[in-house]
Amino acid sequence: MTALAGLTTRPLETVSGDAPGGQALTAVRVPGARTAEMRVVVALPRASDAEAAHADVLGHCLLAAPDVQERLGTLGTDASAGADPRRLTVAASATLEGWTGTLAALTAVLADPDPSPDAVGLACGATARGALLALMHPGHLARSAVHHLIWGHGAPSRFDVPSSAALGEVSAGSLRRFAHHRLGTAPAHVVVGGPDPAAETWDRAAAALTGWTTSATPPAVAPLPRRGPFARTLVGGGAPGRSRLRLAMPSPARHEPGYAAARLSAAVLAGGPASRLYRRLRDELGLVYSVNHATETVAGEVLDIVDVDLRTADVEEAVAALADALTAPPTEEEVERVRRRVLGSQLVARSSLAATVGALADLRAEGLDQAWSDRYTAALAHVPVVEVQADAVSRVRPERSWSALVTDHPQPTPNGGPE
Amino acid sequence: MSATHTLPNGLRVAVDQLASTGVVAVSVAYRAGMRSDPPGASGLAHLAEHVSFGALARYTEVVDAAGGATSAATHSDHTEFATVVPAPAVPEVLGLEARRMRLGPISHEELTRQVRVLDEEVRTQIDGQDFAGHTVRDLPHLLLRDAPGDGYGSAPALAHVTPADVAAFTSRHYRPPTAVLTLAGDIAPDTALALVEDAFGDVDGGAPAPAPADEPWTARDGQPLGTRAEGASAPAAVRGFLLPPVTELAAYLAAVLALRTAATLRGLVCRTGVFEPLAARTPDLAFLARYLTAGEDPRRVAEDADAALSDVAALRVPAAAVRAQALRWRRRLEGESAEPLPRARGLARGMVLHDDAELPDRVSRTLAALGEDEVAAAAAALIQAPRALLHVLGRAGGERP
């Protein structure tokens, strides 16, 4: 149990273990919940354009069969499937009476995916539309540009969006072969949450998973190319008068020393509406509606990301404000504020069933467990202020970042803007 | 529901004690929204929402430092401020919400900043999203006579608004008699009511105010057709509908189920309610939509949508498809009833819009009692009532991807 001036985060009641079919199964009890929540996460990294196309189409059509939809509808279940560049995720919200039936229905699909040619055709169309929209989106352009700065032509994100040529090669037969092979051999994590004792939920979930066997062989992941030097780039493609600015800074990985300090120093900069950047860019200057901040994990490497959408005319002022915000190390007051923020947000997230189950699924899919989570929480509570300040001084620096500016007017900007 | 209470200044309060998670949500809803904008000042209610946060700079610090989250939303007929925090932060949150009812005038500089931020919000959150703004910007004008302006607002539309205009709006509408305060989560009703009394007891309720009256409205005749240059990344068409009044709850819910069933069967985009179901007073709106194929006449979308509703009306769809929509909605309501933030918001919305603290539970019971025939009748009524068609040319102005 971690306590900090009125904030108490109790350990979650969880039970984890391998299900008979080989999936890593975690059950979690969320007191007071009146429904059940599930996540099935299958590792599905992409090493080629063809794999990207098959993974995205599979995500679109996995649950599309009319009999599957009818079965889930009869149970009152909302379920969705989708692939991102690393995983296939199936999410479901079910009634307390219907969750085991829901998990059994999802298990049947995962054990024997058999999309019809019509479903595959529709899914290919939807994937193509999504791919085109993604390729035009300034957020995607900025991310790709930053990855290219870091890893060059070997950036894994080059397969994030499948090409139309690769989508043209997807057929019902090729998709079935892809799905059977991947869903039968990839590591799979299943997380189920509800109000019942975790041990009881685990037993019922393990029974519902019967029929799906996976050998849980970790997929071969090509090592990342050596990182390029810190740099900035300008990219065309913004809407008229609009720009997108993205900044990436290397961060310790979750299992490395310094991760907790890194999270707190990043939060001082851009974590939430009281952060330096949010205060400066929105509240004081009125340049943006919000400041997006996240960590991005690529093949085990972690980046701190800051991303803003703004008027092109305001870019220079925003870049100057960003440089100012990165100059001074966090004060003790700032560190203690974000420490309370991060710990309090864990408590708040646990009042939501979907947030609790989703966070656990992400954790397990990263190869981490509850013990890591408890250690991390303790580290957040106790990491010395000087360590956070030292992290900021050494890591959160304009000159130690990669950045991309997507704009309708790709001319170098003065005052330190991307060029 | 654990407790309801009305303070002497007119503030209505509801408390629902949930599981012992250490977390409490506080929601304050005011009975003023986009439809409260004065003529010639479209977006003023939305701007007042932004200004009130700007004037409460400490609010962000308090909530953020506690690890909580806060959000605000201006809807058609109400504005809501919802916050979820660890329980120890509740007294300070209530104190700050009480200050929102006593806002003074702001400077011109602050007003200019807030207008810019609002304009950025509309550009990034509405203009950039497919099918995002039609129930606010387009369909009211097509379906209703004397429809209000664009309630999102914009920098040009709000350029002439002064700090005094904003102050007049907030002093008129952000008052205890027009507000509802709800708390849901790990808090005992007696404790919650004592904290509310402490924070809001001395807020002046002002002169007794009559219940806000809905503006009279009249549907346009026929099937008006409109065109929007942007609003989607590719050419699309949007079929707009008027929903039955919420006072006829069963008919309203049946219409939503009919539209959702039709959308599922035909692969159409569906929006029910201006923002979501039961989040507006009458008239409430809905649409079915899809992208156009190359060279396709947008009237084909209207025909598709109407044909799908005809199938529902004639019971030519599997009964299970209709039941699934009702089951799913009830399951969502059940899940929301257990979690602090959606519970607080749902209670506040029911009370401020429909004077019904039990609305979420009544919706669930009504859904359980609805039969296929009622949904079929609702579908038939939708295609007899005024409908509109909006042709969206698409940002690229080109072909569908």
Side-chain angles (χ1 to χ4, degrees):
Chain A
M1 186 175 295
T2 299
L4 182 75
L7 296 179
T8 302
T9 309
R10 299 184 184 90
L12 285 171
E13 181 190 323
T14 61
V15 172
S16 295
D18 286 344
Q23 304 83 18
L25 171 62
T26 298
V28 57
R29 177 171 184 250
V30 177
R34 293 177 190 159
T35 53
E37 196 77 21
M38 283 153 271
R39 298 286 183 280
V40 180
V41 182
V42 181
L44 214 58
R46 305 160 176 207
S48 70
D49 195 15
E51 287 187 344
H54 281 82
D56 276 356
V57 174
L58 178 62
H60 272 109
C61 67
L62 184 69
L63 303 179
D67 60 325
V68 175
Q69 284 299 314
E70 185 176 337
R71 173 77 179 128
L72 295 173
T74 303
L75 293 164
T77 297
D78 276 315
S80 63
D84 66 23
R86 293 190 294 161
R87 305 164 184 154
L88 174 77
T89 300
V90 179
S93 305
T95 63
L96 295 180
E97 301 76 29
W99 77 260
T100 51
T102 295
L103 189 55
L106 298 178
T107 298
V109 174
L110 291 159
D112 185 19
D114 190 18
S116 68
D118 283 351
V120 172
L122 286 171
C124 283
T127 306
R129 183 166 66 243
L132 190 58
L133 290 176
L135 291 172
M136 294 190 305
H137 194 278
H140 174 80
L141 295 173
R143 180 170 179 269
S144 295
V146 166
H147 282 199
H148 191 263
L149 285 178
I150 302 174
W151 295 295
H153 294 293
S157 52
R158 67 192 186 281
F159 300 126
D160 282 4
V161 180
S163 69
S164 54
L167 285 168
E169 297 297 316
V170 178
S171 67
S174 71
L175 189 67
R176 191 170 193 280
R177 287 190 295 278
F178 173 85
H180 271 263
H181 174 64
R182 289 305 194 91
L183 299 180
T185 60
H189 298 273
V190 180
V191 179
V192 181
D196 296 328
E200 185 182 315
T201 300
W202 195 96
D203 287 343
R204 295 175 67 192
L209 283 165
T210 303
W212 176 29
T213 303
T214 176
S215 60
T217 308
V221 178
L224 284 172
R226 189 182 175 84
R227 286 183 194 158
F230 297 116
R232 295 169 286 179
T233 188
L234 269 171
V235 183
R242 305 294 304 174
S243 289
R244 186 96 178 199
L245 177 62
R246 188 177 179 94
L247 187 76
M249 293 166 285
S251 164
R254 282 176 162 174
H255 60 275
E256 291 178 340
Y259 182 70
R263 299 281 50 77
L264 295 184
S265 70
V268 170
L269 176 68
S275 66
R276 286 184 180 184
L277 278 182
Y278 204 99
R279 283 285 195 212
R280 185 75 182 136
L281 294 179
R282 173 172 160 144
D283 297 344
E284 295 174 19
L285 299 174
L287 302 182
V288 300
Y289 173 63
S290 67
V291 175
N292 306 309
H293 170 243
T295 56
E296 181 182 9
T297 303
V298 180
E301 294 195 13
V302 179
L303 301 170
D304 265 312
I305 303 294
V306 177
D307 187 89
V308 290
D309 185 343
L310 73 174
R311 301 174 189 87
T312 300
D314 293 334
V315 166
E316 191 177 334
E317 193 175 2
V319 169
L322 181 62
D324 278 351
L326 289 164
T327 303
T331 64
E332 181 171 352
E333 185 184 358
E334 285 177 314
V335 173
E336 294 305 338
R337 179 183 63 76
V338 296
R339 191 196 306 276
R340 289 181 59 81
R341 176 180 192 272
V342 174
L343 290 170
S345 66
Q346 290 186 346
L347 188 67
V348 169
R350 287 182 187 182
S351 70
S352 162
L353 174 63
T356 301
V357 170
L360 264 177
D362 286 344
L363 192 71
R364 297 308 311 268
E366 292 290 337
L368 303 167
D369 57 15
Q370 190 58 39
W372 178 88
S373 183
D374 293 342
R375 285 197 304 276
Y376 171 55
T377 301
L380 287 171
H382 300 298
V383 61
V385 171
V386 291
E387 281 189 31
V388 180
Q389 292 170 326
D391 175 84
V393 167
S394 65
R395 190 179 66 85
V396 186
R397 312 287 303 170
E399 67 275 15
R400 294 184 56 77
S401 68
W402 299 274
S403 65
L405 178 65
V406 177
T407 175
D408 61 326
H409 186 64
Q411 299 294 323
T413 60
N415 201 20
E419 57 193 19
Chain B
M1 174 67 57
S2 301
T4 57
H5 181 65
T6 302
L7 298 189
N9 59 19
L11 179 66
R12 289 171 291 162
V13 186
V15 184
D16 198 12
Q17 184 172 15
L18 302 176
S20 177
T21 58
V23 172
V24 178
V26 176
S27 181
V28 182
Y30 296 95
R31 177 73 167 79
M34 293 174 172
R35 289 172 180 161
S36 310
D37 287 342
S42 293
L44 183 58
H46 188 193
L47 179 61
E49 172 223 302
H50 277 250
V51 165
S52 78
F53 259 122
L56 295 174
R58 174 131 179 81
Y59 202 109
T60 304
E61 285 174 28
V62 168
V63 174
D64 195 73
T70 191
S71 65
T74 305
H75 289 256
S76 303
D77 304 294
H78 75 293
T79 301
E80 61 186 32
F81 299 90
T83 300
V84 57
V85 284
V90 169
E92 203 161 5
V93 168
L94 291 175
L96 288 161
E97 284 297 350
R99 278 185 53 198
R100 201 191 300 277
M101 295 183 180
R102 292 183 285 220
L103 295 175
I106 58 167
S107 67
H108 277 284
E109 292 73 21
E110 174 63 8
L111 181 64
T112 302
R113 235 182 342 258
Q114 293 298 342
V115 169
R116 287 187 68 171
V117 171
L118 180 152
D119 198 66
E120 278 299 292
E121 178 192 4
V122 174
R123 287 173 186 274
T124 58
Q125 309 298 307
I126 308 298
D127 293 348
Q129 309 293 326
D130 285 11
F131 306 114
H134 303 315
T135 52
V136 170
R137 288 173 165 165
D138 309 303
L139 295 180
H141 296 281
L142 292 173
L143 286 163
L144 305 168
R145 299 185 192 281
D146 303 319
D150 176 357
Y152 291 124
S154 65
L158 294 164
H160 65 286
V161 168
T162 66
D165 294 333
V166 179
F169 187 94
T170 54
S171 65
R172 178 180 177 199
H173 293 294
Y174 287 18
R175 304 168 50 218
T178 62
V180 165
L181 166 64
T182 61
L183 296 96
D186 190 0
I187 191 164
D190 289 351
T191 305
L193 292 175
L195 291 172
V196 169
E197 183 72 46
D198 190 45
F200 290 86
D202 65 347
V203 179
D204 184 8
D214 292 327
E215 294 296 323
W217 59 277
T218 313
R220 288 187 185 278
D221 298 326
Q223 299 188 34
L225 173 67
T227 302
R228 170 174 281 282
E230 298 189 339
S233 55
V238 179
R239 183 58 146 165
F241 301 90
L242 283 170
L243 291 169
V246 178
T247 47
E248 299 167 23
L249 186 61
Y252 179 98
L253 299 178
V256 172
L257 294 179
L259 287 159
R260 288 179 174 173
T261 303
T264 302
L265 294 174
R266 298 289 178 114
L268 300 170
V269 175
C270 180
R271 163 80 68 84
T272 48
V274 173
F275 291 98
E276 55 191 290
L278 303 163
R281 291 177 63 86
T282 305
D284 203 359
L285 308 171
F287 68 71
L288 298 172
R290 68 167 166 79
Y291 298 104
L292 298 172
T293 54
E296 185 181 15
D297 189 324
R299 285 173 293 195
R300 286 290 304 277
V301 174
E303 291 165 8
D304 276 0
D306 293 356
L309 284 168
S310 295
D311 286 346
V312 177
L315 299 174
R316 286 193 296 264
V317 300
V322 178
R323 280 199 301 274
Q325 297 297 338
L327 280 170
R328 285 175 166 141
W329 196 349
R330 289 181 62 206
R331 197 253 316 135
R332 287 181 212 124
L333 289 168
E334 186 70 12
E336 289 171 5
S337 71
E339 298 189 0
L341 190 56
R343 181 60 172 168
R345 292 182 65 207
L347 290 173
R349 189 174 293 179
M351 290 170 72
V352 81
L353 288 176
H354 311 297
D355 296 318
D356 186 355
E358 305 292 336
L359 185 66
D361 303 326
R362 199 155 62 88
V363 169
S364 189
R365 288 196 303 274
T366 307
L367 284 169
L370 278 178
E372 286 170 70
D373 291 343
E374 285 151 301
V375 176
L382 283 168
I383 47 181
Q384 295 300 319
R387 287 153 290 157
L389 179 63
L390 177 69
H391 181 197
V392 184
L393 302 179
R395 276 189 290 279
E399 301 297 333
R400 177 191 175 196

